[in-house]
């Protein structure tokens, strides 16, 4: 996307900060001659150095042995939150690898939460299914994975969530959990959870909270609601944000009754999530500076919600998002700070970032002009790109610790080069350049990827 188009992103995509649909982060336009290897550095020596450090992957299939992930487990070390990216939002190999790695981390490293860039309220519904079998997963996915989030309504994520439910049937006293960390939507259940808690614990405040939330809870499907919200006048969106802020702060400032601390914490978080959405949507999406502010706010919100979950559940978390969000570094002023950078600030060494690259393959994405979901394919990475060199390594699919690779490889990986960085929208006329060693701690490279099986409407 060119700079002039940044202020006219279709609202269905902007709902998620475009869910990196049209403006992937840590990216700058390619400049002639900048694809070349760094001066004095032989690409063959870089390949040889990477080969010495790369750990081969046997499969992306989540079933079967995960012993080949032991090396990756050692790279993760004692981190409590692992950000695991993806180089497209619609390739099954990334999703299956996330399932596979989460299973490994659950079974071998004690991880217990899978966190997705999905609305907080939607994550709560999925979590109730994972924990208690509440509802039908196909109905939850159809109702919650809408708008820009509808990319998640694919067979690979359904398989992961079903695995989590099956795991909990066998481990009822030590369950895994699912959380959504994003701000793009606040479902009607969130309002009900807050008002129900207030009615029980602070009945004298019920009338006030009910009035503050009057007319705000969705009465349509999630996609329609989010799209319509951004068409409201700015003044009305600002007034809504002020009301949700007051409700959140009113509840936050109450002293929980004895034995009621957990219920209070969760009610406050639900109110906070409602306000996060309203605050984000109060910004002017026709103003480029405001769009940038929204992008920064979104990544900060996602990081805050993950940190909150870690603190109040004690879980170790696998955080799933686009490479854009889990990275440390941003090379695009439209994304002034990433979720990974916020998490590093909050957690230090307890946060680890893993990025994905691929050489060629297919993916599902929204049509940039018509918002219709289709399968697209890109060919072999261009000469001089990151993937062109990474794919010359003798290991076809592999894991590489970018922190401990040989000096020649680390110097090469630090330099920005053209890299596939495909969001939820396609085609994207922008060419993106990424210094992988500055963006992530660990890299998973796949030779070829295939599109996921999308289960929603086009």
């Amino acid at each position: 996307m060119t700079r002039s188009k940044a202020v006219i992103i279709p609202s269905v995509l902007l709902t998620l900060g475009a869910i990196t649909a049209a403006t992937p982060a840590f990216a700058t336009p390619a400049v002639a001659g900048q694809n070349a290897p760094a001066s004095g550095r032989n690409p063959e020596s870089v390949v040889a150095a990477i080969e010495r450090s790369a750990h081969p992957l046997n499969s992306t299939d989540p079933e079967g042995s995960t012993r080949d992930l032991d090396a990756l487990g050692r790279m993760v070390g004692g981190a409590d939150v692992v950000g695991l990216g993806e180089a497209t939002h619609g390739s099954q190999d990334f999703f299956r690898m996330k399932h596979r790695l989460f299973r490994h981390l659950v079974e071998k490293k004690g991880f217990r939460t899978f966190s997705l860039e999905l609305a907080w309220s939607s994550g709560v519904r999925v979590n109730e299914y994972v924990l208690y079998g509440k509802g039908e997963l196909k109905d939850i996915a159809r109702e919650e994975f809408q708008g820009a989030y509808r990319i998640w309504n694919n067979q690979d994520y359904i398989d992961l969530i079903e695995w989590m439910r099956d795991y909990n049937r066998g481990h009822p006293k030590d369950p895994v959990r699912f959380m959504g960390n994003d701000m793009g939507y606040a479902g009607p259940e969130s309002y009900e959870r807050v008002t129900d808690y207030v009615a029980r614990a602070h009945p004298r405040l019920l009338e006030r909270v009910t009035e503050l939330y009057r007319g705000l809870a969705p009465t349509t499907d999630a996609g329609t609601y989010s799209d319509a919200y951004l068409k409201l006048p700015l003044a009305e969106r600002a007034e809504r944000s002020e009301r949700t802020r007051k409700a959140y702060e009113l509840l936050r400032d109450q002293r929980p009754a004895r034995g009621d601390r957990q219920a209070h914490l969760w009610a406050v978080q639900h109110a906070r999530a409602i306000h996060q959405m309203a605050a984000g949507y109060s910004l002017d999406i026709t103003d480029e500076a405001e769009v940038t502010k929204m992008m920064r706010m979104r990544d900060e919100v996602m990081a805050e919600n993950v940190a909150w979950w870690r603190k109040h559940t004690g879980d170790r978390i696998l955080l799933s998002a686009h490479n854009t969000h889990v990275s440390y570094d941003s090379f695009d002023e439209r994304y002034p700070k990433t979720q990974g950078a916020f998490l590093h600030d909050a957690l230090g060494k307890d946060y680890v970032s893993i990025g994905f690259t691929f050489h060629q393959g297919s993916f599902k994405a929204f049509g940039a002009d018509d918002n219709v979901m289709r399968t697209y394919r890109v060919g072999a990475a261009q000469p001089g790109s990151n993937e062109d060199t990474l794919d010359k390594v003798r290991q076809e699919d592999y894991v590489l610790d970018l922190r401990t690779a040989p000096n020649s490889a680390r110097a090469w990986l630090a330099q920005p080069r053209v890299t596939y960085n495909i969001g939820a929208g396609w085609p994207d006329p922008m060419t993106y350049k990424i210094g992988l060693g500055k963006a992530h701690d660990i890299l998973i490279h796949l030779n070829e990827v295939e599109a996921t099986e999308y289960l929603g409407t086009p």
Side-chain angles (χ1 to χ4, degrees):
M1 171 174 289
T2 62
R3 294 293 293 165
S4 62
K5 292 183 181 179
V7 298
I8 55 172
I9 301 170
S11 59
V12 70
L13 299 181
L14 189 59
T15 294
L16 302 173
I19 200 171
T20 62
T23 54
F26 53 86
T28 55
V31 178
Q34 288 188 343
N35 294 354
S39 176
R41 194 157 291 116
N42 187 333
E44 293 182 3
S45 67
V46 171
V47 170
I50 293 174
E51 284 181 347
R52 292 197 301 273
S53 301
H55 296 267
L57 290 172
N58 294 336
S59 173
T60 61
D61 190 336
E63 298 183 359
S65 172
T66 65
R67 289 190 63 183
D68 58 318
L69 296 181
D70 286 344
L72 181 50
R74 290 191 294 272
M75 295 175 197
V76 166
D80 283 344
V81 179
V82 174
L84 180 57
E86 57 208 31
T88 82
H89 265 320
S91 296
Q92 67 178 16
D93 300 271
F94 298 138
F95 300 147
R96 291 180 180 181
M97 193 67 198
K98 292 183 183 207
H99 182 169
R100 189 168 189 251
L101 179 56
F102 182 59
R103 183 186 141 218
H104 180 83
L105 293 175
V106 167
E107 295 174 350
K108 301 295 180 64
K109 304 279 288 185
F111 279 60
R112 287 297 178 268
T113 290
F114 185 91
S115 179
L116 181 63
E117 54 175 309
L118 175 71
W120 171 269
S121 61
S122 301
V124 172
R125 283 196 70 190
V126 176
N127 193 44
E128 289 181 339
Y129 173 80
V130 165
L131 288 173
Y132 314 118
K134 182 178 179 180
E136 294 290 335
L137 181 55
K138 64 179 182 180
D139 295 333
I140 296 170
R142 185 184 69 252
E143 294 165 5
E144 300 295 334
F145 301 166
Q146 290 198 17
Y149 291 121
R150 75 184 192 271
I151 192 73
W152 305 144
N153 193 7
N154 62 68
Q155 189 59 53
D156 301 302
Y157 269 130
I158 295 298
D159 290 344
L160 167 60
I161 295 167
E162 290 288 16
W163 177 84
M164 294 175 71
R165 177 65 194 135
D166 287 343
Y167 181 91
N168 287 344
R169 290 188 182 99
H171 304 80
K173 295 183 179 180
D174 187 22
V176 293
R177 299 178 178 90
F178 184 101
M179 77 163 291
N181 58 62
D182 209 351
M183 68 179 200
Y185 175 66
E189 298 88 356
S190 289
Y191 296 88
E192 292 170 5
R193 289 184 176 97
V194 174
T195 54
D196 287 351
Y197 171 77
V198 170
R200 177 175 59 80
H202 305 286
R204 62 186 175 80
L205 301 178
L206 181 59
E207 183 177 353
R208 174 65 171 151
V209 172
T210 300
E211 178 59 23
L212 288 170
Y213 282 161
R214 178 178 50 82
L216 300 187
T219 58
T220 63
D221 66 84
T224 300
Y225 175 83
S226 299
D227 192 45
Y229 200 111
L230 284 169
K231 295 176 183 176
L232 295 172
L234 266 178
E236 183 173 348
R237 283 186 268 148
E239 187 267 344
R240 290 183 173 207
S241 177
E242 181 66 10
R243 287 159 57 192
T244 60
R245 180 189 64 79
K246 289 179 178 178
Y248 161 61
E249 292 179 351
L250 181 65
L251 187 56
R252 180 197 63 191
D253 294 341
Q254 301 307 305
R255 178 175 295 180
R258 180 172 295 181
D260 203 35
R261 177 172 169 76
Q262 283 299 311
H264 178 76
L265 282 170
W266 284 91
V268 170
Q269 177 61 15
H270 295 317
R272 184 188 191 193
I274 290 170
H275 178 57
Q276 288 169 344
M277 183 208 73
Y281 285 4
S282 71
L283 297 172
D284 184 358
I285 63 172
T286 67
D287 183 316
E288 190 166 356
E290 291 280 282
V291 171
T292 299
K293 185 177 179 181
M294 178 187 277
M295 301 307 181
R296 187 185 194 281
M297 180 187 295
R298 182 189 174 213
D299 275 62
E300 185 173 18
V301 160
M302 292 192 293
E304 287 176 347
N305 287 337
V306 169
W308 183 94
W309 188 280
R310 170 183 176 265
K311 178 179 179 180
H312 294 294
T313 67
D315 284 0
R316 302 182 76 185
I317 302 165
L318 181 65
L319 165 63
S320 173
H322 196 274
N323 283 344
T324 298
H325 297 297
V326 304
S327 74
Y328 297 113
D329 203 6
S330 174
F331 301 106
D332 188 333
E333 63 185 23
R334 292 166 292 185
Y335 285 77
K337 191 167 183 177
T338 63
Q339 182 183 14
F342 281 114
L343 284 169
H344 183 263
D345 287 348
L347 305 180
K349 61 183 177 59
D350 282 329
Y351 176 73
V352 167
S353 175
I354 304 176
F356 267 107
T357 55
F358 73 106
H359 189 240
Q360 62 186 347
S362 61
F363 53 92
K364 287 288 195 302
F366 307 135
D369 296 327
D370 58 15
N371 202 33
V372 174
M373 189 74 73
R374 297 184 181 88
T375 298
Y376 298 90
R377 176 172 288 275
V378 292
Q382 63 179 281
S385 66
N386 273 318
E387 298 93 343
D388 179 57
T389 296
L390 292 170
D391 210 62
K392 289 182 169 65
V393 173
R394 69 173 181 271
Q395 297 93 333
E396 189 171 70
D397 299 336
Y398 58 89
V399 179
L400 178 68
D401 192 326
L402 304 176
R403 302 161 298 184
T404 61
N407 289 340
S408 59
R410 281 189 285 129
W412 182 87
L413 288 159
Q415 297 299 314
R417 290 180 178 80
V418 170
T419 309
Y420 283 137
N421 193 49
I422 299 167
W426 192 259
D428 182 354
M430 196 78 165
T431 300
Y432 298 98
K433 300 182 79 235
I434 302 171
L436 294 169
K438 295 180 179 179
H440 307 287
D441 297 304
I442 300 165
L443 182 70
I444 300 176
H445 178 76
L446 303 179
N447 169 260
E448 187 165 359
V449 298
E450 297 299 332
T452 188
E453 180 184 349
Y454 179 61
L455 302 177
T457 58

